[in-house]
Amino acid sequence: MIDKNLITTWVNQWLEGKDYFLTDVNVSTDNRIVVEIDHEEGVWIEDCVELSRFIESNLNRDEEDFELEVGSAGIGQPFKVLRQYEIHVGEQVETLTTDGQKFTGTLKEVTPEEFTITTQVKVKEEGAKRPKWVDMDKTFAYNQVKWTKYLIDFK
């Protein structure tokens, strides 16, 4: 089986000096290698091809057969690394907590320990006849969420 750490090392070598960052590397028991990269402005197919060729140049099919797929993390997919949170500050995201609650709002702040979204909640103020929508910040530790992803809005 091909070593995941070796693939990760090669990917990190290729990434040096580039604005891309690694989001995931998977190597299955049958040597299916999947590498996901991301970039603040999107991922270009030419760069995926270049990275794929770089990885292949370090592998030997005569020693071990493999399947290699290099692509982008994918818009609308859950964030996997801190950098993905960082590049989406100020944008709409959707978060599902480990207890099943879903929140939609603007990603306001990101630290290595937690992130904050500004979401709208209905609040009935004292003396008011009806509740009104108000902005409220919600802060989550990363271990409190199943996933967070960029919210695609077609409106």
Side-chain angles (χ1 to χ4, degrees):
M1 188 169 129
I2 295 172
D3 183 12
K4 175 181 176 177
N5 293 328
L6 199 53
I7 300 296
T8 302
T9 299
W10 293 332
V11 171
N12 285 327
Q13 285 174 3
W14 184 85
L15 291 171
E16 282 181 27
K18 296 177 176 69
D19 290 331
Y20 283 100
F21 56 94
L22 179 63
T23 59
D24 200 15
V25 172
N26 280 306
V27 180
S28 68
T29 54
D30 61 346
N31 286 336
R32 182 172 188 273
I33 305 163
V34 179
V35 176
E36 291 181 359
I37 58 174
D38 207 348
H39 186 282
E40 189 170 338
E41 297 173 8
V43 175
W44 296 97
I45 188 73
E46 294 85 2
D47 293 321
C48 291
V49 170
E50 184 182 319
L51 175 55
S52 178
R53 288 183 179 148
F54 180 78
I55 295 168
E56 283 188 44
S57 72
N58 287 288
L59 294 170
N60 184 347
R61 285 194 189 274
D62 293 334
E63 291 176 13
E64 206 160 14
D65 194 28
F66 62 89
E67 177 184 346
L68 175 60
E69 178 184 324
V70 176
S72 69
I75 195 160
Q77 295 297 314
F79 300 160
K80 295 179 181 175
V81 297
L82 179 63
R83 183 77 181 110
Q84 289 177 297
Y85 283 87
E86 292 170 344
I87 65 174
H88 289 290
V89 168
E91 297 178 346
Q92 291 291 305
V93 296
E94 185 175 56
T95 297
L96 180 65
T97 64
T98 53
D99 63 0
Q101 293 182 308
K102 196 180 280 190
F103 296 93
T104 302
T106 304
L107 186 56
K108 181 178 179 180
E109 186 178 359
V110 175
T111 71
E113 296 79 32
E114 60 191 20
F115 65 97
T116 302
I117 64 171
T118 302
T119 187
Q120 289 203 325
V121 293
K122 270 188 176 181
V123 175
K124 186 174 180 189
E125 294 177 346
E126 191 174 324
K129 290 184 178 183
R130 297 183 181 183
K132 66 178 184 173
W133 290 101
V134 296
D135 287 343
M136 179 180 282
D137 287 349
K138 291 240 180 224
T139 300
F140 303 95
Y142 296 101
N143 64 0
Q144 292 177 305
V145 298
K146 286 185 180 179
W147 50 255
T148 299
K149 55 188 174 182
Y150 175 71
L151 186 63
I152 301 168
D153 188 6
F154 295 104
K155 292 180 184 177

